[in-house]
Amino acid sequence: MQVIQVQDNSKDLVLSTELPPFLVADLLQCPNLPTLPSVAINILNIARTDSPSVNDYANAIERDPALTMRIIALANSAFFSRTHLKVKACQEATARLGLDTTLAAVMSFSLLENKGVDAHYQHVWMRSIIASLAARHLAIHLCPDKTGPVFTAALLQDIGILALRATYPSESAALYAESPISHRQLSESEQQLFGCDHSQVGAWLAAKWGVPTPLAQRICDSHGDYNISTPDMLCIQLSGPIADAWLSSHPAQSLVSVIREFETQEGAHKISLRQLLENIQEQLPALADMLRMAAPPVQDNESLLAEAQQILFRQTLLLTARLDTQQAELASLRKRQEDLEERSRTDALTGLANRDWLEEQLQEHFVICQEQARIMSVVFIDLDHFKKLNDKYGHPKGDQVLKKFGKTLQSLIREGDLAGRWGGEEFVIILPEENAMAAQVFANRVAQRLEKTPMAYAELDPIHVTVSIGIACLDDGGFNSANELIDAADKCMYFIKRSGRGGIAVYGERGITNMPFQD
């Protein structure tokens, strides 16, 4: 019952999805699998030789008079004839068609001899014929030296459907009855049902017949992702969607996806989609008649393209509107994220950096200074007698003082500095690239501003505050960590507090180095 020759080219194929063992076994045992007559097998054997010739093809074809007449008629058709001269011999016909197209014609004539009468079989072949015309037109513009192989592969790209129908008639009847689904959806359904799709089955079947491996490989890859790096493969892969659009019950809608593909493919701008459709319209009837197919559908290409462009325009407007909405939503999300990050770094009362952010930034600056031999100073400020101020005026008034002091610090620092609330009435300022002397100048400005500017009012009476300030600079002591640096500044601030408050101390001066940290 095995109908496929053992000697084949299938072992040389690179399948994107390997055929499951059960499927291979069932295909090999199928009595109704599409087969080729002896003349077609002879042509394939010639195609496998190193130097097949027109004479070799013609001699093999002439053994079948009916096939010979059909090859001659095809060569004289409007599709292939470029002159008014008619060929009369098989050798002339084969020379005009070319070896690849002759091979495709022989296989198509042979396979169509066994065609069924149902609409689906006719649809499969009509799609293949339209695809082959589209692929040939594309190849003329993108890879003219490979027009023949492209035409042949496009014509045979769906033979796997015939094999699956013959092997699994009940399962495939339900699957292929769903004609409205797209070809891509059909491939996905075949994957679920058979473990591979018809392009892999078709390539395997063609290779089993002895089709040259490059042709079988093109059939295998015909339904894959668009291969823009290989123009001949791209022509075949684009031909299927064009045929689907032509045969669709809503051709304009289907054509929109084809237009989008043309817009994204390099080199496709050289091709007029209008001319491509007109070429199919002009040559489809003759080719279908040669293959004894039912009358092909006729399209009004002018109206079809106009309607497709209108649909594309509406879709573009909708897409633009959706993109604008998404951009606005994304901007809003980013703003909210930035706000959240800002709040996570900010002291709620003063608007300055909070302690966590101060510590993180202090650590980062310390590492940079260590790695790049830079300097940095830290200023530690404590508001004097703040507890007494709260006891006298109340905590709300104390909060006003803290807020005002925060704004004062913010107005005095430069870009790149960082001021923050360390805790309670304590504040820290990080001054990158500043030595102790520059930090002391900054501290004096703070003290002078406080002397002139009240931090709050009790009814009409101004409330002035003084501060105790400690300064530590990286180049004034052998600090091994950011914590040691901040502790040194804190230590200086306590020195001022113990000395009467309202002053500035720099680490390393006036015997501060060995002073204890606590009051």
Side-chain angles (χ1 to χ4, degrees):
M1 192 171 284
Q2 186 169 331
V3 296
I4 300 176
Q5 300 175 357
V6 176
Q7 295 296 323
D8 58 64
N9 296 329
S10 60
K11 61 183 181 301
D12 299 323
L13 276 178
V14 179
L15 297 175
S16 55
T17 302
E18 290 295 329
L19 271 62
F22 79 87
L23 181 61
V24 174
D26 291 345
L27 288 168
L28 289 170
Q29 297 299 320
C30 176
N32 301 317
L33 202 66
T35 57
L36 295 176
S38 59
V39 63
I41 293 175
N42 288 337
I43 293 291
L44 285 173
N45 288 333
I46 295 170
R48 288 198 297 270
T49 62
D50 293 334
S51 302
S53 68
V54 169
N55 285 337
D56 293 336
Y57 270 48
N59 291 336
I61 293 170
E62 286 173 345
R63 297 176 184 176
D64 185 330
L67 181 61
T68 300
M69 295 304 297
R70 296 185 72 180
I71 292 294
I72 293 174
L74 182 63
N76 287 323
S77 69
F79 184 53
F80 288 103
S81 179
R82 294 292 180 267
T83 70
H84 295 294
L85 298 176
K86 300 293 185 180
V87 299
K88 298 179 180 179
C90 187
Q91 182 178 357
E92 295 175 307
T94 302
R96 176 176 287 181
L97 295 174
L99 298 185
D100 288 303
T101 303
T102 299
L103 174 62
V106 169
M107 295 187 67
S108 301
F109 289 144
S110 301
L111 291 170
L112 282 166
E113 287 299 326
N114 302 318
K115 66 178 181 291
V117 295
D118 61 280
H120 180 257
Y121 198 106
Q122 291 276 339
H123 178 87
V124 171
W125 273 107
M126 186 59 68
R127 179 185 189 274
S128 298
I129 293 170
I130 295 170
S132 67
L133 292 173
R136 185 174 184 269
H137 184 87
L138 293 171
I140 289 172
H141 292 82
L142 297 180
C143 49
D145 59 322
K146 296 182 179 178
T147 302
V150 166
F151 172 81
T152 305
L155 184 65
L156 300 177
Q157 63 180 284
D158 287 337
I159 59 172
I161 292 178
L162 308 183
L164 289 171
R165 274 188 44 153
T167 308
Y168 302 103
S170 58
E171 294 89 339
S172 60
L175 174 63
Y176 297 126
E178 300 180 51
S179 54
I181 66 174
S182 70
H183 217 68
R184 190 173 295 274
Q185 290 173 317
L186 178 64
S187 294
E188 293 173 355
S189 298
E190 289 169 339
Q191 289 277 4
Q192 295 176 359
L193 192 59
F194 304 120
C196 62
D197 72 3
H198 65 268
S199 62
Q200 275 86 51
V201 174
W204 178 86
L205 177 61
K208 284 287 184 182
W209 286 336
V211 163
T213 301
L215 174 56
Q217 192 65 55
R218 285 188 174 98
I219 296 172
C220 175
D221 299 336
S222 61
H223 293 48
D225 294 333
Y226 294 116
N227 187 350
I228 60 176
S229 63
T230 310
D232 58 315
M233 202 63 246
L234 179 62
C235 294
I236 299 167
Q237 291 167 335
L238 283 171
S239 70
I242 293 171
D244 288 334
W246 190 282
L247 295 172
S248 171
S249 56
H250 300 90
Q253 183 69 50
S254 300
L255 197 60
V256 168
S257 62
V258 176
I259 294 174
R260 290 194 185 279
E261 291 299 338
F262 265 68
E263 290 175 345
T264 59
Q265 302 306 329
E266 184 179 357
H269 65 278
K270 306 175 186 174
I271 302 169
S272 166
L273 190 57
R274 185 185 306 277
Q275 290 180 359
L276 187 151
L277 296 176
E278 289 174 353
N279 180 269
I280 294 174
Q281 186 83 285
E282 176 186 348
Q283 306 198 33
L284 179 58
L287 188 57
D289 183 60
M290 288 297 108
L291 295 172
R292 298 177 183 175
M293 296 292 297
V298 177
Q299 299 288 359
D300 181 351
N301 292 328
E302 200 73 32
S303 300
L304 180 62
L305 279 171
E307 184 182 352
Q309 290 291 354
Q310 290 178 358
I311 294 172
L312 182 62
F313 179 70
R314 290 197 297 270
Q315 288 183 353
T316 302
L317 286 179
L318 289 173
L319 179 61
T320 301
R322 285 199 296 268
L323 287 174
D324 289 343
T325 301
Q326 290 173 355
Q327 289 293 334
E329 291 175 350
L330 182 60
S332 177
L333 286 172
R334 285 175 177 166
K335 180 64 169 62
R336 281 157 52 188
Q337 179 67 22
E338 289 171 0
D339 291 344
L340 286 172
E341 290 179 358
E342 183 66 25
R343 285 200 293 270
S344 72
R345 300 192 298 256
T346 303
D347 175 65
L349 180 63
T350 64
L352 301 177
N354 58 26
R355 179 163 179 166
D356 288 341
W357 185 240
L358 278 170
E359 289 180 331
E360 182 177 330
Q361 290 300 296
L362 185 64
Q363 179 62 33
E364 288 186 10
H365 281 86
F366 185 86
V367 171
I368 292 173
C369 289
Q370 293 290 89
E371 292 176 348
Q372 302 179 13
R374 296 185 176 186
I375 62 170
M376 170 180 64
S377 293
V378 172
V379 178
F380 205 113
I381 302 176
D382 182 88
L383 300 186
D384 296 330
H385 305 296
F386 190 72
K387 183 177 183 304
K388 292 181 179 179
L389 188 150
N390 273 331
D391 292 342
K392 181 177 181 179
Y393 298 107
H395 287 279
K397 190 62 67 177
D399 288 346
Q400 288 182 23
V401 170
L402 293 174
K403 288 181 184 179
K404 179 67 174 179
F405 183 68
K407 291 180 180 179
T408 301
L409 281 182
Q410 196 65 47
S411 68
L412 292 172
I413 63 174
R414 62 179 184 176
E415 185 176 357
D417 299 339
L418 181 64
R421 186 182 180 193
W422 193 252
E425 67 272 21
E426 294 178 335
F427 296 83
V428 168
I429 301 91
I430 301 173
L431 302 175
E433 308 295 342
E434 297 284 17
N435 58 20
M437 184 177 295
Q440 196 166 2
V441 171
F442 170 79
N444 278 318
R445 288 206 307 269
V446 173
Q448 291 168 8
R449 179 69 64 86
L450 292 177
E451 186 178 347
K452 297 176 181 178
T453 306
M455 293 293 100
Y457 288 88
E459 295 181 350
L460 297 178
D461 297 329
I463 301 175
H464 287 272
V465 297
T466 61
V467 289
S468 298
I469 302 177
I471 297 172
C473 181
L474 268 181
D475 61 357
D476 290 337
F479 301 112
N480 296 314
S481 68
N483 288 336
E484 289 185 8
L485 181 65
I486 195 72
D487 285 346
D490 186 32
K491 188 177 193 181
C492 293
M493 181 272 294
Y494 268 102
F495 174 82
I496 296 299
K497 286 175 68 75
R498 292 179 56 140
S499 302
R501 294 182 171 84
I504 302 169
V506 178
Y507 186 79
E509 296 181 0
R510 294 189 290 177
I512 299 173
T513 305
N514 297 318
M515 195 185 142
F517 285 99
Q518 302 298 327
D519 280 325

